[in-house]
Amino acid sequence: MAPITFISSAPRSISPSDHRQLVASTPTSFNDIPPVLRHKEDSVAVSLEPPLEGFSTEDGAKGTLYVTESVLAFLSNTGKGFQIEYPTITLHAIARGEAGPTIYCQLDEGSQGDGASETEEVQDMRELKLLPTDPASLEPIFEALSLCAALHPDPQGSDDDMDDAFVDAADGGGFETFTGDEAQELSEVGRVRSNFINDNRYAPY
C-alpha cells in the first residue's frame, strides 16, 4: 500500500470495548476484526508542505481526524481525505510555533520503498501539521498517535543499528545532556515520540 492514499469516507474502525467483546467471542478470523479507533477529533485543520497534489488548502481547512491502530486519517468537510501508514511517520511531536500549538509530523514517503538514494529520501520528506480547534485535544491526539505508531516499528530497523548506537554512546559520541528545567523548550518540536518508548502508561486495551 502507498504511504499516503486518498479516501472519501471514514476509515474502518471499532471502539476498544467492541474490540474486547469480539476477541472474547473467539471469531472465525481475527484478521476480519476492524482496527481499533484510539482517538477521533472533529474541527481539525491540516497543512502539508510540500502540498499533496489533489488535496487543496480548502480541503485541509476543516475536517475530522481519526487515529486508528492501522492508519492516521483525515477526512475533510469537503469530502476529500487521506490516510497515512505509520511507518511513513518518522517523527511526531507537539510543536509550539507562532500559529499556536500543533501536532507536527515528518513523513518519509520513501521509507517503504527499496533502493532509494539519500538524495531521493530527502526529497520525499514531507511535513504535516495538525491544528485542532481545541488546544486541550493536543495531548490526547499525541498520546493516541504515539501508541499506534509504537505498534508499527520501522521495518528497515536492525539490531546492527542498535549496536552501533550503543558503541557510539560508549565512546562519548557527542551526546549532550539537557540541563534546563521544565519551563524551557528544547526546540519547536518540543516533545518527540521517543518519550513514549519507555513510558508504560499506555496499554493496547
Side-chain angles (χ1 to χ4, degrees):
M1 182 180 291
I4 303 178
T5 54
F6 287 111
I7 60 174
S8 57
S9 60
R12 184 168 172 258
S13 64
I14 192 172
S15 70
S17 59
D18 287 343
H19 183 272
R20 285 193 297 269
Q21 292 178 6
L22 279 176
V23 171
S25 68
T26 314
T28 304
S29 172
F30 285 93
N31 292 329
D32 294 334
I33 299 178
V36 176
L37 176 64
R38 288 298 170 184
H39 190 86
K40 176 184 175 183
E41 189 69 30
D42 295 319
S43 299
V44 175
V46 301
S47 65
L48 290 151
E49 185 59 42
L52 187 62
E53 185 176 354
F55 190 82
S56 68
T57 302
E58 180 184 357
D59 294 327
K62 191 174 184 180
T64 301
L65 182 72
Y66 300 87
V67 186
T68 77
E69 290 189 350
S70 61
V71 294
L72 173 67
F74 175 80
L75 184 61
S76 171
N77 290 355
T78 65
K80 291 184 179 180
F82 59 84
Q83 63 183 29
I84 303 172
E85 299 289 308
Y86 284 110
T88 303
I89 305 174
T90 60
L91 180 148
H92 67 273
I94 294 179
R96 308 191 185 280
E98 295 180 358
T102 65
I103 299 292
Y104 170 86
C105 302
Q106 285 185 354
L107 311 178
D108 184 0
E109 296 170 69
S111 63
Q112 298 185 4
D114 295 324
S117 68
E118 290 185 6
T119 302
E120 291 172 336
E121 288 178 357
V122 171
Q123 292 175 342
D124 283 338
M125 195 68 73
R126 193 188 302 271
E127 293 183 340
L128 167 67
K129 292 182 180 179
L130 310 174
L131 300 89
T133 300
D134 180 11
S137 66
L138 284 168
E139 189 73 23
I141 293 173
F142 177 83
E143 292 178 356
L145 185 53
S146 295
L147 172 60
C148 294
L151 300 175
H152 300 266
D154 184 357
Q156 296 182 353
S158 68
D159 293 337
D160 291 340
D161 293 337
M162 291 302 296
D163 290 341
D164 291 342
F166 283 115
V167 169
D168 291 342
D171 293 339
F175 289 106
E176 297 182 2
T177 302
F178 176 65
T179 57
D181 56 35
E182 293 182 357
Q184 293 176 289
E185 293 278 2
L186 288 174
S187 68
E188 186 192 39
V189 215
R191 297 180 52 197
V192 295
R193 101 175 165 188
S194 58
N195 242 4
F196 172 80
I197 295 176
N198 294 317
D199 194 332
N200 60 6
R201 291 179 298 165
Y202 312 106
Y205 310 111

